[in-house]
Amino acid sequence: MEKEILISDDAYETRCAVLEEGMLNEIYIERKAATQTLGNIYKGRVENVLPGMQVAFVDIGLNRHAFLHISDIKFESINGDEMDDENPDKNRGASKNADTLDLKAKLGKLSRGGRGFPFLISDLISKKEELLVQVGKEPIGTKGARVTSNITLPGRYVVYMPNSSNIGVSRRIESATERDRLRNMAKTIKADVEGGFIIRTAAEGLSEPEFAAEIRYLIKQWVDTCEHARRKSAPSLISEDLSFTNRIVRDMLTKNVKQLLIDSKTGYQETMDYVSSVMPDLKPRVSLYKDAAPTLFEAYGVERALKEALSEKIWLKCGGHIIIQQTEAMVSIDVNTGRFVGKSDPDNTILSANLEAVEEVVRQIQLRDLGGIIVVDFIDMEEASHRKRVFKMLQEALRKDRARTNILHFSDLGLVEMTRQRTRPSLSTLLKEECPYCDGHGTVLSIETVVIQLLRAIKAAHNQTKHSKLRVIANDYVLSHIKSQMSHKLGELKKSLELDLTLESDPDLHLEDYRIFVGGGEEIFLD
């Protein structure tokens, strides 16, 4: 499937859109004012070790201490025959850091960690210890960055793992013959160097001289990093990843990309310099977008697609729709038939809606960069063969996802559960914030409810102060509802309490808020 990559750059942010068959499939945004840390290598100082949680907090010089889990220290073997994907961010934590931990000696005598670990994190690192770590997950919300002591250095064709001895090949290279050729080539080169490799999809068909040249470059990069780390004290930034634009080019510009369009002259020149040095054969596919109106994202429908990606309801071509709701704990996706009623057979109608929903569900998961636990509630299917068909299609669609996913079969309740790796904030987290009116609940009290509460508060204020003259300030909508729907109730209240009541509107006041004053101007705070 041919792709198009669009990169839009202005004074505020750089945005990258990935289109497949003209549809927006992925979006990456880097704000100019924000500090980007993913992939950076730091020399950190351990500030706290919590054996009960098997975590440590490391000062790497950012606003919040980084989070280091024991699984990001301990040696984790990689299956040399198959890798989940070729994305370097997803393979961090796949090797051990021999410079900071001598695990081999420690593991032989420790067996008390629990939860799958035969040791405690306090047996491996201690407070005030300095160690080299790499950011594997950006800070999200109130959480600091997640780091690993298992360093990886991504290149165009190879991810170099200095402290591992494994060789992995991206499973997206389908030819077994080609996989064996690349693995054998890596073994030949590896005989002369230390470390392990992940061979990326872009290496397919690569010659040995090109392959060896990149490995030599990555090894030199690692030597320079170690030398820099020796000269610096913690906490310090040791090595910064490529610029946002060049990371996109390195990880995404492959032979199946039809074109890469950039609307910034500076960004275009930076990209051309990088492409010329790393992948000169792809230079003709990089172009500068020169039109001022419409803008690049408007011309390709990206702005409209971004607005749709922030809404809960997404309509399907058949007339059905999906509802996406994101919470702290999980993401729920509900598939509905909507206006789609089919022709005659209800089972086939439901199957058709579910099959169409699969592609859109996966596209929205990627576009919104949803992570953690995801539950999909497809329309109930009676036929086991139909459920199997939908599940198989979902599996196939998720294989294109760059993030690592783990999917379970249909549950007894007809739900499909999955987990998806989260390395950065989701699109809604980046572009939206909690509503100041509903406090993040998604709803506010109805106007009628607020009016009833206000009438009760007026009575309570009179009983508390014994004042017969009161002034009330409330939102426009609340006062309009009182005048149009509840004027008789207000009249009865004034008459029964013998009140002299003045109503004043304030359009800036929260819909649920109101203020009550005595005649002299003093505000009443109810007990």
Side-chain angles (χ1 to χ4, degrees):
M1 184 179 292
E2 283 195 337
K3 296 182 179 181
E4 294 173 283
I5 299 175
L6 314 177
I7 299 178
S8 179
D9 183 38
D10 59 23
Y12 318 106
E13 59 187 10
T14 305
R15 300 181 293 172
C16 169
V18 180
L19 277 63
E20 292 187 7
E21 304 295 331
M23 295 280 289
L24 179 63
N25 214 58
E26 296 175 73
I27 186 77
Y28 300 89
I29 301 174
E30 182 174 272
R31 295 266 165 87
K32 297 290 177 70
T35 301
Q36 303 302 317
T37 61
L38 187 65
N40 290 354
I41 299 174
Y42 295 85
K43 188 172 186 179
R45 182 187 301 109
V46 179
E47 293 297 330
N48 203 2
V49 181
L50 305 177
M53 296 178 63
Q54 294 286 50
V55 300
F57 291 94
V58 185
D59 182 6
I60 58 175
L62 302 180
N63 293 333
R64 294 189 296 273
H65 290 165
F67 170 84
L68 177 66
H69 189 260
I70 192 170
S71 62
D72 293 313
I73 305 173
K74 133 185 205 300
F75 175 75
E76 294 183 49
S77 176
I78 286 182
N79 185 329
D81 294 326
E82 190 170 27
M83 293 304 300
D84 283 334
D85 56 50
E86 79 282 12
N87 191 334
D89 293 337
K90 308 301 183 287
N91 293 308
R92 291 195 172 107
S95 63
K96 64 178 179 178
N97 190 330
D99 289 338
T100 57
L101 298 174
D102 182 10
L103 294 185
K104 188 174 181 181
K106 293 180 179 180
L107 290 180
K109 57 183 179 180
L110 300 173
S111 58
R112 56 197 184 91
R115 295 193 65 180
F117 298 102
F119 47 87
L120 296 174
I121 191 170
S122 55
D123 297 312
L124 306 178
I125 57 176
S126 56
K127 195 172 181 180
K128 300 304 178 184
E129 182 177 347
E130 295 186 353
L131 67 164
L132 211 57
V133 294
Q134 185 173 36
V135 175
K137 184 184 293 185
E138 292 269 19
I140 299 177
T142 58
K143 298 177 182 177
R146 180 160 180 168
V147 295
T148 174
S149 60
N150 305 319
I151 310 297
T152 59
L153 300 179
R156 166 72 175 162
Y157 307 112
V158 175
V159 177
Y160 177 50
M161 303 179 294
N163 306 306
S164 174
S165 59
N166 294 287
I167 296 176
V169 182
S170 170
R171 67 181 180 189
R172 296 188 185 184
I173 299 176
E174 296 180 356
S175 168
T177 303
E178 177 64 6
R179 291 162 65 87
D180 289 340
R181 184 186 76 87
L182 291 169
R183 188 180 294 106
N184 291 332
M185 197 159 60
K187 287 179 180 177
T188 301
I189 298 170
K190 188 180 181 306
D192 301 322
V193 299
E194 292 184 356
F197 310 108
I198 300 170
I199 302 171
R200 308 182 70 182
T201 306
E204 190 169 9
L206 197 67
S207 66
E208 186 167 348
E210 292 176 291
F211 196 77
E214 179 164 275
I215 288 176
R216 284 195 296 270
Y217 169 78
L218 292 173
I219 291 171
K220 183 180 183 303
Q221 184 182 342
W222 174 241
V223 171
D224 293 343
T225 298
C226 291
E227 181 59 33
H228 189 198
R230 275 191 285 270
R231 297 195 306 266
K232 302 282 282 187
S233 59
S236 297
L237 172 64
I238 301 302
S239 176
E240 203 167 2
D241 204 355
L242 292 175
S243 69
F244 175 77
T245 301
N246 283 347
R247 289 200 309 272
I248 294 296
V249 173
R250 178 192 67 196
D251 297 336
M252 296 188 182
L253 185 56
T254 57
K255 294 174 182 177
N256 68 339
V257 174
K258 184 172 67 175
Q259 66 171 344
L260 189 154
L261 278 174
I262 306 177
D263 64 5
S264 160
K265 290 182 180 179
T266 304
Y268 170 74
Q269 191 57 55
E270 178 189 357
T271 300
M272 287 302 289
D273 290 343
Y274 181 73
V275 171
S276 298
S277 64
V278 178
M279 51 192 95
D281 55 318
L282 295 180
K283 280 175 63 178
R285 306 196 187 193
V286 182
S287 304
L288 176 65
Y289 183 80
K290 300 177 181 178
D291 294 343
T295 65
L296 176 60
F297 274 23
E298 288 172 345
Y300 283 81
V302 175
E303 298 289 9
R304 185 187 69 253
L306 275 176
K307 289 181 180 178
E308 292 175 354
L310 294 175
S311 65
E312 278 195 355
K313 181 181 288 188
I314 303 294
W315 287 98
L316 304 174
K317 292 179 182 178
C318 68
H321 64 265
I322 60 177
I323 302 290
I324 302 175
Q325 293 181 323
Q326 187 174 353
T327 67
E328 182 80 16
M330 67 176 66
V331 178
S332 65
I333 302 176
D334 187 24
V335 181
N336 299 281
T337 53
R339 297 189 293 261
F340 182 50
V341 294
K343 294 182 178 179
S344 57
D345 187 347
D347 287 343
N348 285 330
T349 297
I350 291 170
L351 176 62
S352 298
N354 281 335
L355 289 175
E356 185 178 333
V358 165
E359 290 289 344
E360 189 62 31
V361 163
V362 173
R363 188 176 82 89
Q364 290 296 328
I365 287 174
Q366 290 181 261
L367 178 56
R368 298 172 189 234
D369 204 12
L370 302 174
I373 300 172
I374 301 173
V375 178
V376 186
D377 184 9
F378 287 101
I379 306 166
D380 290 340
M381 293 172 284
E382 297 292 337
E383 296 285 339
S385 60
H386 288 183
R387 290 194 297 273
K388 186 176 180 180
R389 187 173 167 186
V390 169
F391 182 79
K392 185 177 180 181
M393 186 175 179
L394 183 61
Q395 279 185 311
E396 291 294 327
L398 284 169
R399 284 202 177 101
K400 299 181 294 182
D401 191 0
R402 289 164 57 84
R404 187 180 297 127
T405 57
N406 180 36
I407 179 172
L408 303 179
H409 284 275
F410 275 92
S411 70
D412 293 340
L413 297 176
L415 307 174
V416 175
E417 302 165 35
M418 69 177 81
T419 59
R420 184 174 187 268
Q421 189 175 26
R422 179 191 287 128
T423 58
R424 58 197 176 99
S426 66
L427 186 65
S428 64
T429 302
L430 181 64
L431 300 184
K432 299 168 77 175
E433 62 183 25
E434 188 176 277
C435 172
Y437 287 93
C438 71
D439 295 325
H441 297 300
T443 59
V444 293
L445 293 176
S446 68
I447 292 179
E448 186 171 11
T449 301
V450 176
V451 168
I452 292 172
Q453 289 181 349
L454 175 56
L455 295 179
R456 287 173 178 158
I458 292 172
K459 183 176 181 180
H462 172 268
N463 292 338
Q464 180 176 308
T465 64
K466 306 303 181 183
H467 276 276
S468 60
K469 189 172 185 179
L470 299 178
R471 180 167 63 97
V472 174
I473 301 177
N475 185 279
D476 280 355
Y477 291 103
V478 173
L479 297 187
S480 295
H481 187 82
I482 289 176
K483 292 174 183 176
S484 63
Q485 305 292 329
M486 306 280 283
S487 59
H488 63 291
K489 292 292 183 184
L490 180 64
E492 290 175 359
L493 181 66
K494 289 165 64 177
K495 185 176 180 180
S496 65
L497 299 178
E498 299 181 351
L499 273 179
D500 180 2
L501 190 65
T502 304
L503 301 180
E504 296 179 13
S505 68
D506 182 352
D508 295 326
L509 202 61
H510 190 298
L511 186 70
E512 297 177 1
D513 290 341
Y514 44 79
R515 302 172 70 185
I516 303 175
F517 299 83
V518 297
E522 181 183 351
E523 186 171 359
I524 302 172
F525 298 96
L526 298 175
D527 295 333

